[in-house]
Amino acid sequence: MTDDDFTVTPYAVQGDVDYERVLDQFGADELTEAERERFPEPLHPLIKRGIFYGGRDVEEYLDAIDEDEQVSIVTGRGPSGPMHIGHVFPLYLAKYLQDRTGAHVYIPISDDEKYFAKDQDFDDIQGWAKDNITEIMAVGFDPEKTRIVVDSADADVIYPWAAKFAKRYTQSTVNATYGDPDNVGLSFYPAVQATHLLLPQLVHGRHRTIVPIAVDQDPHIRLCRDVAAKEDYDVYKPSALLSRFFPQLKGDGGKMSSSDQNPTIYLSDDRDAVLEKIQTYAFSGGQTSLEEHREKGGDPDVDVAYQLLYYFFEEDDEKVEELAADYRSGELLTGELKNYAAEKVSDFLEAHQERKAALGDFDEEIRNYTLTDEERATLTEDLLY
Amino acid sequence: MTDDDFTVTPYAVQGDVDYERVLDQFGADELTEAERERFPEPLHPLIKRGIFYGGRDVEEYLDAIDEDEQVSIVTGRGPSGPMHIGHVFPLYLAKYLQDRTGAHVYIPISDDEKYFAKDQDFDDIQGWAKDNITEIMAVGFDPEKTRIVVDSADADVIYPWAAKFAKRYTQSTVNATYGDPDNVGLSFYPAVQATHLLLPQLVHGRHRTIVPIAVDQDPHIRLCRDVAAKEDYDVYKPSALLSRFFPQLKGDGGKMSSSDQNPTIYLSDDRDAVLEKIQTYAFSGGQTSLEEHREKGGDPDVDVAYQLLYYFFEEDDEKVEELAADYRSGELLTGELKNYAAEKVSDFLEAHQERKAALGDFDEEIRNYTLTDEERATLTEDLLY
């Protein structure tokens, strides 16, 4: 959807996003306070603080958790470059939910879509897929309950299902949702995406699945839900859990992205790099002089260092409130706030990087997360061989 | 392409086809007498008599045969119903060429495309795929040099390559070539088709491949040749060998088809069924009364019984000339000609059916024709696992 002031589509986010209006226009629901409180305890900051702020059929998903039914989570990655901190928060949310509910987590790697959409060659994308999967394995999911599925390498299960769903997607629906695609790969991709979102149910039978995802990706879910609603498939429509965009360091409202010229904090950044990037680039809500800041105070609502802490990196509610109050009063200086944020981000990254370093050889480690022969057989049982 | 008098596209053939004009408008070449004579001896009636009458890069293919280079043939099948005699002549031509040149024969089964294009469910299409593959195995190809590839069941190799080619196909090119597709599966399918046509080279390295196919399918080849010409792929453009449409029993010029209400001779028809269909339906070039026929003679050029013999079922050149002469003179009656044609068609079908009956269990037999582990590894070597 585009608007005078902002644009939100799966391929473009620009301008100052009015998050409520996006939900309205996509036809999704705002997450209510009551729904938020029904998430597993202790509430994750991403839920509690409204970073995930909208959804579809979230109520039904929470009901299934209450009933101790098996649930699933789908959260994917398009591998066209290194992962930054904006990419991992849905993954860490998924891990948090998996730890508390025993959810299956399915992580589709859409190397095909990135190849279709980007000016990168196939080998390049494969290299990033390997890199990104390594980052994902470092999150610490339960391998028994977690499946990483690569569109190309798992095409034996992905393509036959995508073909089945493709029959339900008219080209005009795809054009209307995404704009005219550049190539026929992008025309077909929504059917691949539908496969991703329904995969847990295709493997394990009908059960509730939720997709935590930035709000711009909601059209994928909406199209998939339309397909899932057709009588042929005995599945629930996937639920959606929709997030705001992770703050960009420069703070201009769109989503953090490594595809344009914005500086970003990568998962591989060390303490010095994080500190330097935050000090140099993080948009400040403080005043231009020390005196003025002490007198007038800063604005945490636009301060990116504060936003990073609020969104994800400071779990302690009292601490975030204290930081906001001190910043507003002028007691806390921009430099101090930046240093604190850099420290918290670095602590997080260091733990992530330690888990990454502890991983074994890729080819062996990935086998803990690929579909089992039995799961593969279930997914391909109606094929000729 | 459409014209005032006839239409020829991959999805529709109607009217009285001007075969030379089709080649002109598709941009393919007519097969010259000199080229025809360069095919392996003894010349196959389908070549000698101009049933295959056009092509692309046929010269280069014949050069490769002369140089004793490895060559390949690709000839596929879309499984949406039982196979009739019009479906097997390219397969029998392929077998004939394989016997004489040691060509690899690749036989793609486009169950995905049939599912996209037809109002049939996936299981139905799978049933026909099994049936049709059984017919194909009955042709008697050399299993060492022949590969049957099913788009769904072999998606592990088909989809990753189709994805690579898909990036090169714009939606507008596909729309211009085929008309606006009904669904995104059909949008994507030309990239799958490109994979089919390039598969021998993707497995065995660059070498000459020819595609014997009815002229209406030429747009698939043309698009694939455009993709193959891009610098990324070290392959030759596939050569095309383009045929006229096998005569319909009712004789109205379009291609034989089991998708409309035309009666057709199926590969499973027995002697009685063949005789009855030819006697009842085969358009006759004879006169309406015995006396008139004896006096004026018949016209073999429009007589379907004669056309069946001429196209494929009577290999003896002297015999076909004798039949034509006797028919023109009025000496040979329509009923006699039909009986003779029915006998020849039935002889052919009986031999085919005997080979079919001698096949073992499908699941075992098909393993003689599926891609080997080594071939599969070659095709997927750039994937992550």
Side-chain angles (χ1 to χ4, degrees):
Chain A
M1 46 150 294
T2 60
D3 197 275
D4 289 344
D5 310 318
F6 63 97
T7 304
V8 175
T9 77
Y11 295 111
V13 175
Q14 282 166 342
D16 198 10
V17 178
D18 180 334
Y19 283 108
E20 288 183 23
R21 215 159 63 193
V22 176
L23 290 185
D24 270 359
Q25 298 195 15
F26 280 174
D29 306 312
E30 200 164 348
L31 211 60
T32 65
E33 189 60 35
E35 284 167 344
R36 255 177 237 167
E37 285 173 3
R38 292 185 58 202
F39 273 80
E41 294 288 341
L43 284 183
H44 194 284
L46 287 165
I47 301 292
K48 196 166 40 181
R49 299 180 192 158
I51 312 308
F52 282 93
Y53 79 109
R56 296 171 181 272
D57 288 355
V58 172
E59 198 90 48
E60 288 79 349
Y61 190 77
L62 295 168
D63 289 346
I65 292 177
D66 281 352
E67 299 291 327
D68 273 332
E69 294 171 15
Q70 178 66 54
V71 292
S72 287
I73 304 164
V74 178
T75 175
R77 165 71 188 150
S80 62
M83 287 173 78
H84 57 64
I85 54 175
H87 292 133
V88 285
F89 74 96
L91 291 162
Y92 275 91
L93 179 74
K95 175 181 161 39
Y96 154 89
L97 288 172
Q98 181 179 64
D99 288 347
R100 278 154 190 80
T101 65
H104 293 294
V105 174
Y106 276 72
I107 306 171
I109 306 296
S110 54
D111 59 335
D112 50 350
E113 192 248 359
K114 284 301 168 191
Y115 176 71
F116 299 146
K118 300 272 179 177
D119 186 22
Q120 284 176 274
D121 68 26
F122 191 78
D123 288 343
D124 206 23
I125 299 281
Q126 294 309 301
W128 287 119
K130 187 171 176 177
D131 170 278
N132 292 181
I133 289 171
T134 306
E135 300 288 9
I136 289 165
M137 293 191 298
V139 171
F141 291 105
D142 173 7
E144 290 292 313
K145 300 223 123 193
T146 305
R147 294 292 172 262
I148 294 170
V149 178
V150 179
D151 287 343
S152 61
D154 291 307
D156 57 332
V157 298
I158 294 292
Y159 181 68
W161 281 103
K164 284 174 204 163
F165 299 133
K167 190 166 178 171
R168 304 288 178 183
Y169 284 88
T170 64
Q171 189 63 47
S172 53
T173 302
V174 170
N175 295 353
T177 310
Y178 302 103
D180 287 354
D182 277 346
N183 56 59
V184 298
L186 287 171
S187 293
F188 185 71
Y189 181 69
V192 174
Q193 182 93 334
T195 308
H196 295 162
L197 302 187
L198 296 174
L199 207 52
Q201 299 190 73
L202 300 176
V203 175
H204 304 286
R206 191 168 75 147
H207 67 278
R208 291 288 172 185
T209 304
I210 203 163
V211 188
I213 204 166
V215 68
D216 60 325
Q217 302 298 308
D218 179 66
H220 286 298
I221 300 180
R222 201 174 61 229
L223 282 194
C224 171
R225 286 168 57 88
D226 290 346
V227 166
K230 315 259 176 190
E231 58 191 323
D232 315 38
Y233 308 111
D234 184 28
V235 291
Y236 288 120
K237 295 183 188 185
S239 302
L241 189 59
L242 303 170
S243 80
R244 296 166 196 274
F245 304 123
F246 213 69
Q248 301 199 71
L249 278 182
K250 287 184 166 175
D252 66 349
K255 66 174 173 179
M256 180 174 271
S257 164
S258 48
S259 40
D260 45 34
Q261 292 311 308
N262 283 323
T264 53
I265 297 170
Y266 294 107
L267 297 185
S268 55
D269 281 346
D270 63 17
R271 219 164 258 281
D272 290 347
V274 171
L275 184 60
E276 200 199 317
K277 284 181 182 178
I278 289 180
Q279 282 181 338
T280 311
Y281 300 113
F283 183 82
S284 169
Q287 306 299 338
T288 44
S289 74
L290 180 63
E291 295 68 31
E292 205 184 343
H293 189 84
R294 290 286 188 214
E295 187 191 332
K296 299 183 179 169
D299 180 0
D301 295 340
V302 301
D303 190 286
V304 170
Y306 178 79
Q307 291 299 314
L308 289 175
L309 293 164
Y310 182 82
Y311 265 58
F312 189 62
F313 293 101
E314 178 54 72
E315 293 192 13
D316 183 335
D317 292 332
E318 286 182 21
K319 182 70 183 175
V320 284
E321 280 173 31
E322 183 191 313
L323 288 168
D326 290 353
Y327 199 51
R328 282 205 179 86
S329 74
E331 194 184 318
L332 184 66
L333 299 177
T334 291
E336 292 166 342
L337 181 59
K338 284 189 168 185
N339 283 343
Y340 184 76
E343 198 182 317
K344 294 296 287 185
V345 170
S346 295
D347 288 350
F348 171 85
L349 289 183
E350 219 165 71
H352 178 88
Q353 290 159 5
E354 274 169 24
R355 284 191 300 274
K356 184 174 162 185
L359 292 172
D361 176 63
F362 179 86
D363 293 334
E364 277 175 37
E365 204 72 45
I366 183 70
R367 287 295 156 205
N368 298 321
Y369 295 93
T370 48
L371 290 165
T372 64
D373 288 347
E374 200 182 333
E375 288 159 353
R376 222 169 270 275
T378 301
L379 287 166
T380 57
E381 67 191 355
D382 59 352
L383 303 184
L384 214 48
Y385 51 83
Chain B
M1 46 151 291
T2 59
D3 197 275
D4 288 343
D5 310 318
F6 63 97
T7 303
V8 176
T9 77
Y11 295 110
V13 175
Q14 282 168 341
D16 197 10
V17 177
D18 180 333
Y19 284 107
E20 288 183 24
R21 217 159 63 190
V22 176
L23 290 186
D24 270 0
Q25 298 194 16
F26 280 173
D29 306 311
E30 200 164 350
L31 212 60
T32 64
E33 188 61 35
E35 283 167 345
R36 255 178 236 165
E37 286 174 2
R38 290 185 59 203
F39 274 79
E41 294 288 342
L43 284 183
H44 194 283
L46 287 164
I47 301 292
K48 196 166 41 182
R49 298 177 193 161
I51 312 309
F52 282 93
Y53 78 109
R56 295 172 182 272
D57 289 354
V58 173
E59 196 90 49
E60 288 79 351
Y61 190 78
L62 295 168
D63 289 346
I65 292 178
D66 281 351
E67 300 290 326
D68 273 331
E69 293 171 15
Q70 177 66 56
V71 293
S72 287
I73 304 164
V74 177
T75 176
R77 166 73 188 149
S80 63
M83 287 173 77
H84 58 63
I85 54 174
H87 292 133
V88 286
F89 75 95
L91 291 163
Y92 275 91
L93 179 75
K95 174 179 160 43
Y96 154 89
L97 287 172
Q98 181 179 63
D99 288 347
R100 279 154 191 80
T101 65
H104 293 294
V105 173
Y106 275 73
I107 305 171
I109 306 296
S110 54
D111 59 338
D112 50 350
E113 192 249 358
K114 284 300 167 191
Y115 176 70
F116 299 146
K118 301 271 178 178
D119 186 22
Q120 285 175 272
D121 68 26
F122 191 78
D123 288 344
D124 205 23
I125 299 281
Q126 294 309 301
W128 286 119
K130 187 171 177 178
D131 169 278
N132 291 181
I133 290 171
T134 306
E135 300 288 10
I136 290 165
M137 293 191 296
V139 171
F141 290 105
D142 173 5
E144 289 292 311
K145 301 224 122 194
T146 305
R147 294 292 172 263
I148 294 170
V149 179
V150 179
D151 287 343
S152 62
D154 291 308
D156 57 332
V157 299
I158 294 292
Y159 181 67
W161 280 103
K164 285 175 205 164
F165 299 134
K167 191 166 177 171
R168 304 288 177 183
Y169 285 88
T170 65
Q171 190 63 49
S172 54
T173 302
V174 169
N175 295 353
T177 310
Y178 302 104
D180 287 355
D182 277 347
N183 57 58
V184 299
L186 287 172
S187 293
F188 186 71
Y189 181 68
V192 175
Q193 181 93 334
T195 307
H196 294 161
L197 302 188
L198 296 174
L199 206 52
Q201 299 189 73
L202 300 176
V203 174
H204 304 285
R206 190 168 75 148
H207 66 279
R208 292 289 171 184
T209 304
I210 204 163
V211 188
I213 205 166
V215 68
D216 60 324
Q217 302 297 307
D218 180 67
H220 286 298
I221 300 181
R222 202 173 62 228
L223 282 194
C224 171
R225 286 168 56 89
D226 291 346
V227 165
K230 315 258 179 191
E231 57 189 325
D232 315 39
Y233 309 111
D234 185 28
V235 292
Y236 288 120
K237 294 184 187 183
S239 301
L241 188 60
L242 303 171
S243 81
R244 296 166 195 273
F245 304 123
F246 213 71
Q248 301 198 73
L249 278 183
K250 286 183 166 176
D252 67 350
K255 67 175 173 177
M256 180 173 270
S257 164
S258 47
S259 42
D260 44 35
Q261 293 309 311
N262 282 322
T264 53
I265 297 170
Y266 294 108
L267 296 185
S268 55
D269 281 348
D270 64 17
R271 217 163 260 280
D272 290 346
V274 172
L275 184 61
E276 199 198 321
K277 283 180 182 179
I278 289 180
Q279 281 179 339
T280 312
Y281 301 112
F283 183 83
S284 169
Q287 307 300 337
T288 44
S289 73
L290 181 63
E291 293 69 29
E292 207 185 341
H293 188 82
R294 291 284 188 215
E295 189 192 331
K296 297 183 180 170
D299 180 1
D301 295 341
V302 300
D303 190 285
V304 169
Y306 178 78
Q307 292 299 314
L308 290 174
L309 293 164
Y310 182 82
Y311 265 58
F312 188 63
F313 292 101
E314 177 54 73
E315 292 192 15
D316 183 335
D317 293 331
E318 284 181 23
K319 182 71 183 176
V320 283
E321 279 173 32
E322 184 191 311
L323 289 167
D326 291 352
Y327 199 51
R328 282 206 178 85
S329 75
E331 193 184 320
L332 184 67
L333 299 177
T334 291
E336 292 167 340
L337 181 59
K338 284 190 168 187
N339 284 343
Y340 184 76
E343 197 182 316
K344 293 296 286 185
V345 170
S346 296
D347 289 349
F348 171 85
L349 289 183
E350 219 165 71
H352 179 88
Q353 289 160 5
E354 275 169 24
R355 283 190 301 273
K356 185 175 162 185
L359 292 173
D361 176 63
F362 179 86
D363 293 335
E364 277 174 39
E365 203 72 47
I366 183 70
R367 286 297 156 204
N368 298 321
Y369 294 94
T370 49
L371 290 165
T372 64
D373 288 347
E374 199 183 334
E375 288 159 352
R376 225 170 267 275
T378 300
L379 287 166
T380 58
E381 66 190 355
D382 58 351
L383 302 184
L384 216 48
Y385 49 83

